[in-house]
Amino acid sequence: MNWKKIAPLMLVSLTVLAAGCGKQGASPATPAASTAPAATAKKLTDVKVVLDWTPNTNHTGLYVAKDQGFFEQEGLNVQIIAPGEAGADAMIASGAAEFGVSYQEGITQGRIQGVPIVSIAAVIQHNTSGFASPVAKNIVTPKDFAGKTYGGWGAPAESAMIESLMQSEKADPSKVKIVNIGDADYFTAVKRDIDFAWIYYAWTGVDAELRGEPLNMIYLNKYSDKLDYYTPVLATNEKMIKEKPEIVKAFTAAAAKGYQFAISKPEDAANILIKAVPDLDPKLVLASQKWLSPRYQDDAPRWGEQKRQVWENYANWMLEHKLLEKNLDVDAAFTNNFLPASSK
């Protein structure tokens, strides 16, 4: 899995990525049958949750909620599916899937374009993405990007992000060569024709540790509070919120239980994900889960909670770098209203 490719800030880029990785993703786990006696079984409401990418530890809480019966306890029969050709955000917005995994950057761009998608929970409280490079490249701060080659997927946000970080150190972004590396993963690309790439540490960074290929990591949020945005998030559409708020509340409550389980029992949670998606590397899943579990909730009062300031700050950053055409209606882009009072 190539996590650097799920960070683009433009909705179009997210759609293209999701379409491509949907073909590669492992088959969704088969819904567990209800164990309740037939005569007293509670009728469950069928809903779909679409992933943004192939299954990984960003999604563990969803697989836990399914495996442990948390969704059923809330009256839901949840099917976890891979994104189709249109991409996860488009499926969520259209109702092809009632819920899904998205990103603050994609939702921000989508809302500006009139896409009725809404974030209902932050999967991870702080941004764990950044620019990675092999230690031998000696790239330890953004000013070291000068004279180096960046490998990406061609989104305008990539050059904007590099420029933003370099300007914070009064370095010249024009001295960076930017190339499109297509589907090549980080490990292949840095051995071939690039010096650094954009990754999520929880997967690619942990994978580098396991491979014995140490890297230097320049986290985006270290250089600006505006870049400490929510990535990924759980999302739904405006119609669900308006017409079926009880389903949204039930889904969010069960997901919260799933992620809280993953926070308190990372090894058990990792094993649930491995069982559901046996194509994954068990060592990577376990190591990634141990790294990521304490970061799901981090310093938030409860799992999933989002701050208005985080949404406002990032939208302002996008405006400053001409990635948005107008101001974002922040209060329409996210809500905490469906989170349980406590995620424990």
Side-chain angles (χ1 to χ4, degrees), residues 63-87:
Y63 284 95
V64 168
K66 186 176 180 67
D67 180 84
Q68 296 294 298
F70 299 151
F71 285 129
E72 286 192 15
Q73 291 169 16
E74 295 292 338
L76 303 178
N77 176 42
V78 172
Q79 182 183 5
I80 301 173
I81 63 174
E85 292 296 326

mmCIF file of all heavy atoms in Angstrom, residues 63-87:
data_model
loop_
_atom_site.group_PDB
_atom_site.id
_atom_site.type_symbol
_atom_site.label_atom_id
_atom_site.label_comp_id
_atom_site.label_asym_id
_atom_site.label_seq_id
_atom_site.Cartn_x
_atom_site.Cartn_y
_atom_site.Cartn_z
ATOM 1 N N TYR A 63 -13.564 -2.363 11.328
ATOM 2 C CA TYR A 63 -13.528 -3.828 11.316
ATOM 3 C C TYR A 63 -13.777 -4.405 12.707
ATOM 4 O O TYR A 63 -14.420 -5.444 12.857
ATOM 5 C CB TYR A 63 -12.189 -4.314 10.755
ATOM 6 C CG TYR A 63 -12.097 -4.193 9.255
ATOM 7 C CD1 TYR A 63 -11.518 -3.091 8.653
ATOM 8 C CD2 TYR A 63 -12.635 -5.181 8.427
ATOM 9 C CE1 TYR A 63 -11.458 -2.974 7.266
ATOM 10 C CE2 TYR A 63 -12.580 -5.082 7.050
ATOM 11 C CZ TYR A 63 -11.992 -3.961 6.475
ATOM 12 O OH TYR A 63 -11.950 -3.857 5.105
ATOM 13 N N VAL A 64 -13.281 -3.712 13.739
ATOM 14 C CA VAL A 64 -13.532 -4.146 15.116
ATOM 15 C C VAL A 64 -15.023 -4.030 15.434
ATOM 16 O O VAL A 64 -15.620 -4.950 16.014
ATOM 17 C CB VAL A 64 -12.706 -3.313 16.115
ATOM 18 C CG1 VAL A 64 -13.186 -3.562 17.547
ATOM 19 C CG2 VAL A 64 -11.216 -3.641 15.994
ATOM 20 N N ALA A 65 -15.613 -2.895 15.052
ATOM 21 C CA ALA A 65 -17.040 -2.693 15.338
ATOM 22 C C ALA A 65 -17.891 -3.766 14.676
ATOM 23 O O ALA A 65 -18.904 -4.214 15.237
ATOM 24 C CB ALA A 65 -17.470 -1.303 14.871
ATOM 25 N N LYS A 66 -17.481 -4.208 13.508
ATOM 26 C CA LYS A 66 -18.205 -5.268 12.807
ATOM 27 C C LYS A 66 -17.982 -6.615 13.492
ATOM 28 O O LYS A 66 -18.919 -7.365 13.765
ATOM 29 C CB LYS A 66 -17.738 -5.315 11.356
ATOM 30 C CG LYS A 66 -18.498 -6.277 10.470
ATOM 31 C CD LYS A 66 -17.990 -6.150 9.033
ATOM 32 C CE LYS A 66 -18.752 -7.109 8.122
ATOM 33 N NZ LYS A 66 -20.170 -6.747 7.987
ATOM 34 N N ASP A 67 -16.720 -6.921 13.772
ATOM 35 C CA ASP A 67 -16.361 -8.212 14.347
ATOM 36 C C ASP A 67 -16.941 -8.405 15.757
ATOM 37 O O ASP A 67 -17.393 -9.497 16.103
ATOM 38 C CB ASP A 67 -14.836 -8.337 14.394
ATOM 39 C CG ASP A 67 -14.364 -9.655 14.986
ATOM 40 O OD1 ASP A 67 -14.292 -10.647 14.231
ATOM 41 O OD2 ASP A 67 -14.075 -9.697 16.206
ATOM 42 N N GLN A 68 -16.920 -7.358 16.540
ATOM 43 C CA GLN A 68 -17.363 -7.445 17.932
ATOM 44 C C GLN A 68 -18.865 -7.233 18.108
ATOM 45 O O GLN A 68 -19.371 -7.251 19.228
ATOM 46 C CB GLN A 68 -16.599 -6.414 18.777
ATOM 47 C CG GLN A 68 -15.107 -6.662 18.847
ATOM 48 C CD GLN A 68 -14.765 -7.950 19.577
ATOM 49 O OE1 GLN A 68 -15.074 -8.112 20.773
ATOM 50 N NE2 GLN A 68 -14.153 -8.893 18.867
ATOM 51 N N GLY A 69 -19.569 -7.015 17.018
ATOM 52 C CA GLY A 69 -21.019 -6.864 17.105
ATOM 53 C C GLY A 69 -21.492 -5.488 17.535
ATOM 54 O O GLY A 69 -22.673 -5.311 17.852
ATOM 55 N N PHE A 70 -20.591 -4.486 17.532
ATOM 56 C CA PHE A 70 -20.999 -3.145 17.963
ATOM 57 C C PHE A 70 -22.020 -2.534 17.003
ATOM 58 O O PHE A 70 -22.940 -1.835 17.437
ATOM 59 C CB PHE A 70 -19.782 -2.222 18.084
ATOM 60 C CG PHE A 70 -18.753 -2.678 19.090
ATOM 61 C CD1 PHE A 70 -17.408 -2.369 18.928
ATOM 62 C CD2 PHE A 70 -19.125 -3.413 20.210
ATOM 63 C CE1 PHE A 70 -16.459 -2.776 19.837
ATOM 64 C CE2 PHE A 70 -18.182 -3.836 21.138
ATOM 65 C CZ PHE A 70 -16.839 -3.514 20.953
ATOM 66 N N PHE A 71 -21.850 -2.787 15.716
ATOM 67 C CA PHE A 71 -22.824 -2.278 14.756
ATOM 68 C C PHE A 71 -24.182 -2.944 14.959
ATOM 69 O O PHE A 71 -25.230 -2.279 14.942
ATOM 70 C CB PHE A 71 -22.343 -2.502 13.314
ATOM 71 C CG PHE A 71 -21.252 -1.571 12.865
ATOM 72 C CD1 PHE A 71 -20.086 -2.066 12.294
ATOM 73 C CD2 PHE A 71 -21.390 -0.199 13.003
ATOM 74 C CE1 PHE A 71 -19.083 -1.209 11.870
ATOM 75 C CE2 PHE A 71 -20.388 0.675 12.584
ATOM 76 C CZ PHE A 71 -19.229 0.167 12.012
ATOM 77 N N GLU A 72 -24.175 -4.255 15.163
ATOM 78 C CA GLU A 72 -25.438 -4.969 15.384
ATOM 79 C C GLU A 72 -26.134 -4.474 16.645
ATOM 80 O O GLU A 72 -27.360 -4.351 16.677
ATOM 81 C CB GLU A 72 -25.180 -6.468 15.478
ATOM 82 C CG GLU A 72 -24.857 -7.121 14.145
ATOM 83 C CD GLU A 72 -24.902 -8.634 14.214
ATOM 84 O OE1 GLU A 72 -25.452 -9.162 15.207
ATOM 85 O OE2 GLU A 72 -24.403 -9.278 13.282
ATOM 86 N N GLN A 73 -25.358 -4.197 17.684
ATOM 87 C CA GLN A 73 -25.934 -3.685 18.927
ATOM 88 C C GLN A 73 -26.650 -2.355 18.698
ATOM 89 O O GLN A 73 -27.597 -2.016 19.427
ATOM 90 C CB GLN A 73 -24.833 -3.498 19.973
ATOM 91 C CG GLN A 73 -24.241 -4.803 20.495
ATOM 92 C CD GLN A 73 -22.984 -4.593 21.321
ATOM 93 O OE1 GLN A 73 -22.696 -3.473 21.756
ATOM 94 N NE2 GLN A 73 -22.225 -5.658 21.537
ATOM 95 N N GLU A 74 -26.217 -1.629 17.692
ATOM 96 C CA GLU A 74 -26.846 -0.348 17.363
ATOM 97 C C GLU A 74 -27.929 -0.503 16.290
ATOM 98 O O GLU A 74 -28.456 0.481 15.778
ATOM 99 C CB GLU A 74 -25.788 0.651 16.877
ATOM 100 C CG GLU A 74 -24.765 1.031 17.936
ATOM 101 C CD GLU A 74 -25.356 1.854 19.064
ATOM 102 O OE1 GLU A 74 -26.421 2.481 18.852
ATOM 103 O OE2 GLU A 74 -24.762 1.864 20.168
ATOM 104 N N GLY A 75 -28.229 -1.769 15.932
ATOM 105 C CA GLY A 75 -29.294 -2.022 14.966
ATOM 106 C C GLY A 75 -28.876 -1.932 13.514
ATOM 107 O O GLY A 75 -29.729 -1.769 12.633
ATOM 108 N N LEU A 76 -27.574 -2.071 13.250
ATOM 109 C CA LEU A 76 -27.065 -1.918 11.889
ATOM 110 C C LEU A 76 -26.407 -3.185 11.369
ATOM 111 O O LEU A 76 -25.700 -3.886 12.108
ATOM 112 C CB LEU A 76 -26.035 -0.779 11.832
ATOM 113 C CG LEU A 76 -26.494 0.592 12.313
ATOM 114 C CD1 LEU A 76 -25.342 1.577 12.235
ATOM 115 C CD2 LEU A 76 -27.692 1.090 11.518
ATOM 116 N N ASN A 77 -26.639 -3.475 10.112
ATOM 117 C CA ASN A 77 -25.915 -4.519 9.394
ATOM 118 C C ASN A 77 -24.992 -3.793 8.411
ATOM 119 O O ASN A 77 -25.440 -3.296 7.376
ATOM 120 C CB ASN A 77 -26.870 -5.446 8.647
ATOM 121 C CG ASN A 77 -26.119 -6.481 7.823
ATOM 122 O OD1 ASN A 77 -25.126 -7.050 8.281
ATOM 123 N ND2 ASN A 77 -26.569 -6.714 6.604
ATOM 124 N N VAL A 78 -23.727 -3.700 8.761
ATOM 125 C CA VAL A 78 -22.788 -2.868 8.009
ATOM 126 C C VAL A 78 -21.940 -3.698 7.050
ATOM 127 O O VAL A 78 -21.349 -4.701 7.438
ATOM 128 C CB VAL A 78 -21.875 -2.071 8.970
ATOM 129 C CG1 VAL A 78 -20.776 -1.349 8.196
ATOM 130 C CG2 VAL A 78 -22.708 -1.069 9.768
ATOM 131 N N GLN A 79 -21.898 -3.261 5.811
ATOM 132 C CA GLN A 79 -21.033 -3.865 4.802
ATOM 133 C C GLN A 79 -19.893 -2.892 4.513
ATOM 134 O O GLN A 79 -20.126 -1.735 4.154
ATOM 135 C CB GLN A 79 -21.817 -4.150 3.521
ATOM 136 C CG GLN A 79 -20.980 -4.826 2.434
ATOM 137 C CD GLN A 79 -21.751 -5.033 1.142
ATOM 138 O OE1 GLN A 79 -22.884 -4.586 1.019
ATOM 139 N NE2 GLN A 79 -21.128 -5.705 0.190
ATOM 140 N N ILE A 80 -18.667 -3.357 4.674
ATOM 141 C CA ILE A 80 -17.488 -2.540 4.383
ATOM 142 C C ILE A 80 -17.076 -2.810 2.945
ATOM 143 O O ILE A 80 -16.820 -3.950 2.569
ATOM 144 C CB ILE A 80 -16.333 -2.875 5.353
ATOM 145 C CG1 ILE A 80 -16.764 -2.628 6.802
ATOM 146 C CG2 ILE A 80 -15.097 -2.041 5.016
ATOM 147 C CD1 ILE A 80 -15.744 -3.081 7.845
ATOM 148 N N ILE A 81 -17.031 -1.750 2.131
ATOM 149 C CA ILE A 81 -16.765 -1.930 0.706
ATOM 150 C C ILE A 81 -15.586 -1.077 0.246
ATOM 151 O O ILE A 81 -15.213 -0.089 0.889
ATOM 152 C CB ILE A 81 -18.008 -1.590 -0.146
ATOM 153 C CG1 ILE A 81 -18.392 -0.124 0.013
ATOM 154 C CG2 ILE A 81 -19.174 -2.494 0.245
ATOM 155 C CD1 ILE A 81 -19.523 0.322 -0.895
ATOM 156 N N ALA A 82 -15.007 -1.467 -0.886
ATOM 157 C CA ALA A 82 -13.934 -0.704 -1.509
ATOM 158 C C ALA A 82 -14.527 0.410 -2.364
ATOM 159 O O ALA A 82 -15.668 0.305 -2.819
ATOM 160 C CB ALA A 82 -13.073 -1.627 -2.381
ATOM 161 N N PRO A 83 -13.798 1.487 -2.589
ATOM 162 C CA PRO A 83 -14.313 2.576 -3.416
ATOM 163 C C PRO A 83 -14.472 2.153 -4.865
ATOM 164 O O PRO A 83 -13.677 1.385 -5.392
ATOM 165 C CB PRO A 83 -13.247 3.664 -3.276
ATOM 166 C CG PRO A 83 -11.997 2.926 -2.923
ATOM 167 C CD PRO A 83 -12.440 1.771 -2.078
ATOM 168 N N GLY A 84 -15.515 2.639 -5.495
ATOM 169 C CA GLY A 84 -15.728 2.333 -6.899
ATOM 170 C C GLY A 84 -14.963 3.289 -7.793
ATOM 171 O O GLY A 84 -14.115 4.056 -7.324
ATOM 172 N N GLU A 85 -15.297 3.266 -9.066
ATOM 173 C CA GLU A 85 -14.588 4.110 -10.029
ATOM 174 C C GLU A 85 -14.750 5.592 -9.706
ATOM 175 O O GLU A 85 -13.849 6.394 -9.968
ATOM 176 C CB GLU A 85 -15.103 3.830 -11.444
ATOM 177 C CG GLU A 85 -14.754 2.445 -11.978
ATOM 178 C CD GLU A 85 -13.256 2.249 -12.133
ATOM 179 O OE1 GLU A 85 -12.562 3.232 -12.453
ATOM 180 O OE2 GLU A 85 -12.777 1.118 -11.920
ATOM 181 N N ALA A 86 -15.880 5.974 -9.133
ATOM 182 C CA ALA A 86 -16.124 7.387 -8.834
ATOM 183 C C ALA A 86 -15.328 7.870 -7.636
ATOM 184 O O ALA A 86 -15.102 9.063 -7.470
ATOM 185 C CB ALA A 86 -17.607 7.621 -8.606
ATOM 186 N N GLY A 87 -14.908 6.947 -6.775
ATOM 187 C CA GLY A 87 -14.173 7.322 -5.574
ATOM 188 C C GLY A 87 -15.075 7.381 -4.356
ATOM 189 O O GLY A 87 -16.297 7.507 -4.451
#
